[in-house]
Amino acid sequence: MGAKHSLFLTNKGRLYVCGYGSQGQLGLGKSFTSNIYEPTLVKSLIGKTIIMIAAGSNHSLALTSRYDVYSCGHNAKGQLGIGESKSCTIWTHVSGLAHKKVAKIYAGGEHSWAVIGTFFVIIKMKTNQSCKTIDLHLQSNLTLTNQR
């Protein structure tokens, strides 16, 4: 659940959304940026089997069975991972993660992260200056190192 919006995943891989939508975090398009009071099917993702969802304060993420990540909502800090800071009212493919075998996705207040493969994590962090990507590799001795 996000700060004021909810995502629901069915056992058939369909995504439903409801709640506060002013930042586009429901992903239903520009004409649906107000409150939605009932779970509403995300039609733009029909045909993709969603296997995991995550919600930040005002953004949302979805992971498909083909390891593709989609995001929507507020993006001032780059939390959508789409390479720019514009917000999106529709579910947008995170092309930077294409062909990476994303295993899990997570969303925080104004950040997102994904587990790639078994031991590789990409974290988007908010700093005072900008949003930075930090690659962390889990070594065999289970210590974290920062690889820039």
Side-chain angles (χ1 to χ4, degrees):
M1 292 188 33
K4 297 177 184 174
H5 71 289
S6 299
L7 309 176
F8 304 94
L9 181 60
T10 71
N11 60 355
K12 295 192 183 214
R14 294 224 171 148
L15 177 60
Y16 287 79
V17 296
C18 66
Y20 186 70
S22 71
Q23 302 293 317
Q25 62 267 49
L26 302 179
L28 298 174
K30 288 183 181 179
S31 57
F32 292 97
T33 55
S34 59
N35 297 345
I36 303 293
Y37 296 99
E38 295 182 0
T40 302
L41 177 64
V42 176
K43 293 179 183 174
S44 64
L45 294 177
I46 290 177
K48 297 165 180 45
T49 303
I50 307 301
I51 59 170
M52 188 172 188
I53 53 177
S57 289
N58 291 303
H59 72 288
S60 303
L61 305 172
L63 174 64
T64 73
S65 60
R66 296 180 155 234
Y67 311 109
D68 287 318
V69 177
Y70 290 83
S71 62
C72 64
H74 187 64
N75 192 36
K77 309 293 184 201
Q79 59 265 47
L80 298 185
I82 58 172
E84 57 186 292
S85 62
K86 73 172 185 167
S87 296
C88 293
T89 60
I90 59 169
W91 290 88
T92 303
H93 184 246
V94 181
S95 60
L97 293 176
H99 311 295
K100 301 275 189 196
K101 292 219 174 189
V102 175
K104 296 183 184 258
I105 53 171
Y106 301 94
E110 293 182 328
H111 61 282
S112 302
W113 64 100
V115 176
I116 299 173
T118 307
F119 298 112
F120 183 69
V121 180
I122 292 179
I123 301 174
K124 292 296 252 186
M125 318 181 90
K126 180 180 116 175
T127 66
N128 291 340
Q129 302 289 320
S130 63
C131 188
K132 299 185 181 204
T133 300
I134 299 174
D135 298 334
L136 300 171
H137 296 273
L138 192 59
Q139 303 292 323
S140 59
N141 62 1
L142 299 179
T143 60
L144 291 175
T145 60
N146 185 357
Q147 306 290 321
R148 292 202 185 246

